[in-house]
Amino acid sequence: MAGCGSGVCCCCCPRCCGERESRTPEELTILGETHEEEDEILPRKDYEKAQRYEAVKWVMVFAIGVCTGLVGLFVDFFVRLFTQLKFRVVQSSVEECTEKGCLALSLLELLGFNLTFVFLASLLVLIQPVAAGSGIPEIKCYLNGVKVPGVVRLRTVVCKAMGVLFSVAGGLFVGKEGPMIHSGAVVGAGLPQFQSISLRKIQFNFPYFRSDRDKRDFVSAGAAAGVAAAFGAPIGGTLFSLEEGSSFWNQGLTWKVLFCSMAATFTLNFFRSGIQFGSWGSFQLPGLLNFGEFKCSESDKKCHLWTAVDLGFFILMGIVGGLLGATFNCLNKRLAKYRMRNVHPKPKLVRVLESLLVSLTTTVVVFVASMVLGECRQMSSTSQNGNDTLSLQEDVNSSIKTFFCPNETYNDMATLFFNPQESAILQLFHQDGTFSPVTLSLFFLLYFLLSCWTYGISVPSGLFVPSLLCGAAFGRLVANLLKSYIGLDHIYSGTFALIGAAAFLGGVVRMTISLTVILIESTNEITYGLPIMITLMVAKWTGDFFNKGIYDIHVNLRGVPLLEWETEVEMDKLRASDIMEPNLTYVYPHTRIQSLVSILRTTVHHAFPVVTENRGNEREFMKGNQLISNNIKFKKSSILTRAGEQRKRSQSMKSYPSSELRNMCDEHIATEEPPEKEDLLQQMLERRYTPYPNLYPDQSPSEEWTMEERFRPLTFHGLILRSQLVTLLVRGVCYSESQSSASQPRLSHAEMSEDYPRYPDIHDLDLTLLNPRMIVDVTPYMNPSPFAVSPNTHVSQVFNLFRTMGLRHLPVVNAVGEIVGIITRHNLTHEFLQARLRQHYQTI
């Protein structure tokens, strides 16, 4: 039996052996019966490489989260340091000058601090202008597929982080949470590259993640980590990245983004808890903004966080919040347009002066309102049970201001204005003492107007905290009115302040899913989920009736072609052929260097179709011209036929299902083309049938050409990027006409992506050493199978494909493989589609 060797199975069970011999290799692989000497379907080294790539990606995601948390720690530490220094000096001066009558000196001290800090913030924006604002509109554009120059550079995150701590410490009505999202996105974009244009000398040989898709995934993770660090909301950060940014999403990216958000949250929590409380590893401060625990006083038996009756009031507050948010956005849009017309065209110093003017006005308003408009209110006692609640109430009471008020009372206006914004929010959420309705109304009005004026000046500025504080004042005002005039003693003022904050913030930014989760995570109270969600939905619907969210408004003002999630229903009356661009700039599989340089220097397109022309007399054109011959040969070799595909398979398979199929595959039918009647050389000289106009720059498309000559049929073979063509020219990848295309040097993927993400500019290159008559074979480097659509495809299908796959170019190919146009992001913008729809109605 041992002598049978491998034939034992056949001797023992011929039927089994016959079944095994009749099984396909795929079935044998599934059953685990493949021979050891057979080749593996996936080589082990490729599998290990893929596993290593995935492991490095997880490590990078963790590093991005940690670094984003450290950036948040840096900003929070210095904001707290500068703010405490400023208020300590000014508050002691106010207390002294109250008796001596020198309050003007206190105002000058406050102005000195604020103007200095704001001036430094403005200077940092002059160094890197894209660091102005919150950065969320720019990150939305980047994740949507639009590259904003300088938005993810190292210099940007440095100016952003330092600028926002100066602008917040300078007393402007701005927050540091929005810029944290931008900072996290920059960390996500730069850290996996291990190189920076600002630090050219520091470079590492790191071969991973050299593509736009990987970079976009890391930017998504960094933006989510910024939200998580700002609010202590890792799940909310993940949903924010999904809702507001990314075009392409998958399950694997969800896990990585959530992991990154968790790393950012706990890194910041770990260091803040250790630095402020000395209890390393206790994780007591989850985010830069913490709302504290909402809990009724034990002495008030009637109090409830919220009841079903309160939902009606919450819906009304959502409507009012949507109206206020729409008003805020409308005013800010008018201010932004005014700045674009009258401030930005002027010297940069004017922007600095505008920032100083806003700071001066804000400082004077805050000081005068705190000294003159406040009322003295009775302090609350700290008799609540529970160490956490007692500690929170003590923190709230410790930040009250007693300017011009007797003992056991506090100045309610000064308590809101003369504190950091986070402390003011905690006052409105948890202060058991009452705030005067007049004080809340004045505070809301002043804060509304000043924060609207401030958002858009040349300093790094966020909008989350000012909106929350403004809305909290509105909610607390509603609670006071309901208690005083309607007699609803059961309501909890903190809940109404939270709902007011959600209503106003939702009316301004128009976020629903992520903002709901962010607020729930910030409060640590899941029972608030329903009222917050209802309020945000109502606020969004109300605001959308009038205008867009604040970030979308600023995106539109910049003229960025941002794509929404879907198109309107009526757009399905349009087809791909209605919106495509038929006037193409293209290259051939084999093209001369002078033609490529001419194309690259006279256009700004990011990619070019690779095409060949359709002619019945190709055999004659191939004679005497090696370049044209190479192009036609490539076209013939790239055309796939059923018989040719079966013949290719027949060479690698040992048997066929039938002899008829074998005979059919072995047949080769040669077709003779009819001879041309006219002299082809004469036609070429008269340029009536110039086969490849781009090969001769002096004969490129002329006004003398007919429509048929300009839009001749072109067989589509693929797309090649501008960066790839520039790289081929820089590295001298070409061959002479007397040589075969096989003699052209070959570049590896690592060599092609070595300059990523900043490829050389064609206008900066010295190409004098290259022979313009040399030929470049682009076929090894083009994408031979890009996404393409039929001319009859509905616009909604085109839009969904473009949006979900993160495309930048979408060729339109007809039924016979000819490219008839190309669709870019510009062709899918709302304004362009509306114009095409109007033309469509006019032609009906």
Side-chain angles (χ1 to χ4, degrees):
M1 186 68 68
C4 293
S6 61
V8 173
C9 180
C10 291
C11 297
C12 298
C13 182
R15 183 176 62 84
C16 294
C17 184
E19 288 181 357
R20 173 169 177 169
E21 289 178 349
S22 64
R23 288 190 176 122
T24 63
E26 292 79 60
E27 292 173 338
L28 293 175
T29 301
I30 295 173
L31 295 174
E33 297 176 0
T34 56
H35 294 291
E36 293 181 357
E37 63 270 13
E38 292 179 353
D39 294 334
E40 297 180 8
I41 296 178
L42 180 64
R44 183 175 298 277
K45 61 179 182 180
D46 291 343
Y47 175 76
E48 293 176 352
K49 183 178 180 180
Q51 291 293 96
R52 184 167 61 250
Y53 181 87
E54 189 69 11
V56 173
K57 204 168 191 177
W58 279 99
V59 172
M60 288 279 70
V61 163
F62 177 76
I64 291 169
V66 172
C67 292
T68 303
L70 293 177
V71 172
L73 178 70
F74 168 81
V75 172
D76 178 72
F77 178 81
F78 283 100
V79 165
R80 190 179 299 273
L81 179 66
F82 292 154
T83 303
Q84 288 178 350
L85 173 64
K86 178 184 72 172
F87 281 128
R88 187 183 302 117
V89 172
V90 174
Q91 186 170 346
S92 62
S93 175
V94 169
E95 291 174 353
E96 292 179 5
C97 289
T98 300
E99 301 175 357
K100 299 179 181 180
C102 57
L103 287 177
L105 181 60
S106 302
L107 176 59
L108 290 178
E109 289 180 351
L110 185 60
L111 282 172
F113 277 109
N114 288 349
L115 291 177
T116 302
F117 288 146
V118 172
F119 178 72
L120 293 174
S122 298
L123 288 183
L124 290 168
V125 170
L126 291 184
I127 297 174
Q128 188 67 10
V130 77
S134 66
I136 295 178
E138 289 81 2
I139 295 304
K140 283 188 65 173
C141 294
Y142 188 91
L143 293 177
N144 196 262
V146 180
K147 288 188 176 180
V148 181
V151 72
V152 289
R153 288 182 57 180
L154 176 63
R155 183 188 299 176
T156 302
V157 73
V158 173
C159 294
K160 194 83 172 184
M162 296 185 65
V164 72
L165 69 89
F166 285 127
S167 58
V168 173
L172 293 177
F173 291 168
V174 299
K176 56 181 178 290
E177 284 68 23
M180 271 301 303
I181 300 172
H182 188 186
S183 301
V186 178
V187 172
L191 191 62
Q193 302 299 318
F194 281 93
Q195 62 179 3
S196 170
I197 195 172
S198 303
L199 303 173
R200 298 179 185 272
K201 295 183 179 180
I202 301 178
Q203 289 194 3
F204 299 91
N205 185 18
F206 192 69
Y208 300 99
F209 317 125
R210 318 298 290 176
S211 69
D212 286 339
R213 172 149 295 178
D214 285 333
K215 190 173 184 178
R216 195 161 58 241
D217 289 348
F218 285 125
V219 170
S220 299
V227 176
F231 297 98
I235 301 175
T238 304
L239 293 175
F240 173 86
S241 186
L242 172 61
E243 180 182 6
E244 288 296 313
S246 300
S247 302
F248 181 75
W249 200 266
N250 56 49
Q251 184 179 6
L253 182 60
T254 305
W255 274 110
K256 293 181 180 68
V257 170
L258 181 59
F259 181 63
C260 183
S261 302
M262 287 288 185
T265 301
F266 287 100
T267 299
L268 181 63
N269 198 342
F270 176 79
F271 285 102
R272 286 191 72 204
S273 300
I275 292 174
Q276 293 189 28
F277 297 105
S279 55
W280 296 90
S282 61
F283 299 105
Q284 297 177 351
L285 298 172
L288 298 179
L289 180 63
N290 186 20
F291 293 161
E293 183 183 2
F294 288 78
K295 188 176 181 180
C296 288
S297 172
E298 302 240 347
S299 59
D300 189 357
K301 302 299 183 182
K302 297 181 180 180
C303 176
H304 300 284
L305 290 182
W306 67 278
T307 62
V309 177
D310 297 334
L311 283 177
F313 296 112
F314 296 159
I315 293 174
L316 294 177
M317 291 175 67
I319 295 174
V320 177
L323 294 173
L324 292 173
T327 306
F328 184 96
N329 293 352
C330 180
L331 293 176
N332 190 262
K333 181 179 180 179
R334 292 179 178 272
L335 281 171
K337 287 183 176 180
Y338 176 83
R339 290 188 177 105
M340 294 172 68
R341 290 193 304 264
N342 302 289
V343 178
H344 294 173
K346 295 182 179 179
K348 294 182 178 179
L349 181 62
V350 177
R351 304 185 189 185
V352 178
L353 293 178
E354 184 198 16
S355 302
L356 294 177
L357 175 63
V358 173
S359 176
L360 174 66
T361 306
T362 303
T363 303
V364 172
V365 168
V366 165
F367 191 86
V368 173
S370 300
M371 301 301 142
V372 177
L373 301 179
E375 296 185 16
C376 295
R377 315 295 292 185
Q378 188 69 32
M379 289 187 186
S380 64
S381 61
T382 58
S383 60
Q384 289 176 300
N385 295 329
N387 293 332
D388 294 340
T389 307
L390 181 61
S391 175
L392 175 62
Q393 193 63 40
E394 289 176 349
D395 291 341
V396 169
N397 287 340
S398 65
S399 62
I400 62 175
K401 306 301 177 184
T402 59
F403 298 158
F404 306 105
C405 288
N407 293 334
E408 301 299 325
T409 60
Y410 66 95
N411 187 325
D412 56 357
M413 185 69 81
T415 300
L416 296 178
F417 268 135
F418 241 75
N419 267 316
Q421 295 175 99
E422 291 81 2
S423 298
I425 290 175
L426 289 178
Q427 287 286 341
L428 293 170
F429 283 172
H430 301 291
Q431 177 59 265
D432 288 340
T434 58
F435 289 90
S436 165
V438 176
T439 297
L440 290 174
S441 301
L442 289 174
F443 176 81
F444 172 80
L445 180 62
L446 293 174
Y447 216 95
F448 180 94
L449 296 175
L450 287 174
S451 59
C452 184
W453 185 22
T454 304
Y455 188 73
I457 63 174
S458 294
V459 296
S461 57
L463 197 59
F464 274 90
V465 170
S467 299
L468 288 171
L469 182 52
C470 204
F474 159 65
R476 190 72 184 241
L477 175 62
V478 172
N480 282 9
L481 294 178
L482 291 177
K483 280 186 175 182
S484 303
Y485 295 98
I486 301 182
L488 298 179
D489 295 332
H490 72 279
I491 65 174
Y492 180 56
S493 299
T495 299
F496 276 77
L498 176 65
I499 297 302
F504 187 79
L505 181 58
V508 171
V509 301
R510 311 289 164 79
M511 293 159 49
T512 51
I513 304 172
S514 56
L515 191 54
T516 300
V517 178
I518 288 172
L519 294 178
I520 292 173
E521 289 185 283
S522 298
T523 58
N524 277 330
E525 186 60 59
I526 191 63
T527 57
Y528 281 142
L530 180 63
I532 289 176
M533 182 175 64
I534 291 177
T535 303
L536 288 174
M537 290 172 59
V538 173
K540 174 179 169 56
W541 292 339
T542 305
D544 285 343
F545 186 77
F546 298 97
N547 51 31
K548 293 184 177 181
I550 187 69
Y551 300 134
D552 292 328
I553 287 175
H554 281 265
V555 167
N556 292 337
L557 289 176
R558 289 174 171 84
V560 177
L562 191 73
L563 300 184
E564 302 296 335
W565 281 107
E566 56 188 10
T567 59
E568 299 175 4
V569 178
E570 61 178 351
M571 294 302 172
D572 258 352
K573 297 176 181 177
L574 299 174
R575 305 297 175 107
S577 57
D578 297 323
I579 66 172
M580 70 182 186
E581 175 56 54
N583 192 9
L584 301 174
T585 302
Y586 48 84
V587 300
Y588 298 96
H590 299 263
T591 309
R592 294 195 192 278
I593 286 179
Q594 63 182 1
S595 297
L596 291 180
V597 173
S598 175
I599 291 171
L600 292 173
R601 286 183 173 174
T602 57
T603 64
V604 294
H605 303 311
H606 181 72
F608 304 92
V610 181
V611 302
T612 53
E613 298 188 8
N614 298 334
R615 298 189 177 277
N617 51 11
E618 289 173 341
R619 189 179 298 277
E620 295 295 330
F621 274 106
M622 293 174 65
K623 296 178 181 179
N625 192 317
Q626 182 64 32
L627 177 58
I628 297 178
S629 175
N630 287 344
N631 281 324
I632 295 176
K633 286 179 180 178
F634 172 78
K635 182 183 120 175
K636 290 182 176 296
S637 65
S638 63
I639 295 177
L640 181 68
T641 61
R642 290 197 301 158
E645 181 66 14
Q646 187 60 43
R647 187 181 300 109
K648 185 191 303 181
R649 295 183 181 183
S650 68
Q651 296 174 358
S652 60
M653 297 177 63
K654 298 179 181 178
S655 61
Y656 305 99
S658 66
S659 59
E660 290 80 10
L661 180 59
R662 184 189 304 113
N663 295 333
M664 182 184 69
C665 294
D666 290 340
E667 288 183 4
H668 178 68
I669 303 176
T671 58
E672 293 294 334
E673 298 179 359
E676 294 290 332
K677 295 181 180 180
E678 297 185 30
D679 184 9
L680 296 177
L681 180 59
Q682 185 65 27
Q683 295 177 15
M684 293 177 63
L685 291 176
E686 293 176 0
R687 294 198 303 173
R688 285 183 292 157
Y689 291 97
T690 304
Y692 295 94
N694 287 343
L695 306 181
Y696 314 101
D698 57 319
Q699 297 181 4
S700 55
S702 166
E703 295 297 333
E704 302 174 8
W705 288 7
T706 64
M707 186 66 70
E708 288 73 18
E709 289 174 333
R710 283 182 170 274
F711 297 92
R712 54 174 57 84
L714 302 171
T715 299
F716 180 66
H717 297 285
L719 281 177
I720 188 162
L721 303 180
R722 166 182 287 268
S723 58
Q724 294 174 312
L725 292 177
V726 172
T727 302
L728 294 177
L729 292 176
V730 169
R731 296 182 177 271
V733 178
C734 55
Y735 67 97
S736 65
E737 194 166 357
S738 60
Q739 297 174 322
S740 169
S741 60
S743 62
Q744 175 177 282
R746 300 294 185 189
L747 297 183
S748 65
H749 179 267
E751 292 173 319
M752 289 292 293
S753 59
E754 184 176 346
D755 294 326
Y756 179 85
R758 297 175 185 87
Y759 293 97
D761 188 351
I762 187 65
H763 298 282
D764 300 333
L765 298 180
D766 182 13
L767 302 174
T768 55
L769 298 179
L770 291 178
N771 183 353
R773 302 295 296 176
M774 297 287 280
I775 303 171
V776 179
D777 180 9
V778 303
T779 56
Y781 310 101
M782 71 179 185
N783 179 6
S785 55
F787 288 100
V789 293
S790 164
N792 295 321
T793 307
H794 288 284
V795 163
S796 60
Q797 294 176 273
V798 174
F799 191 92
N800 291 335
L801 180 63
F802 207 97
R803 179 74 164 82
T804 56
M805 300 310 298
L807 304 181
R808 300 188 68 177
H809 311 87
L810 189 60
V812 182
V813 182
N814 64 16
V816 294
E818 296 173 350
I819 184 169
V820 294
I822 197 165
I823 296 173
T824 62
R825 177 176 292 269
H826 168 72
N827 303 106
L828 293 172
T829 58
H830 181 74
E831 294 77 10
F832 186 88
L833 292 178
Q834 287 285 357
R836 283 290 185 264
L837 190 61
R838 286 194 295 268
Q839 293 180 5
H840 175 75
Y841 285 139
Q842 292 174 0
T843 57
I844 295 178

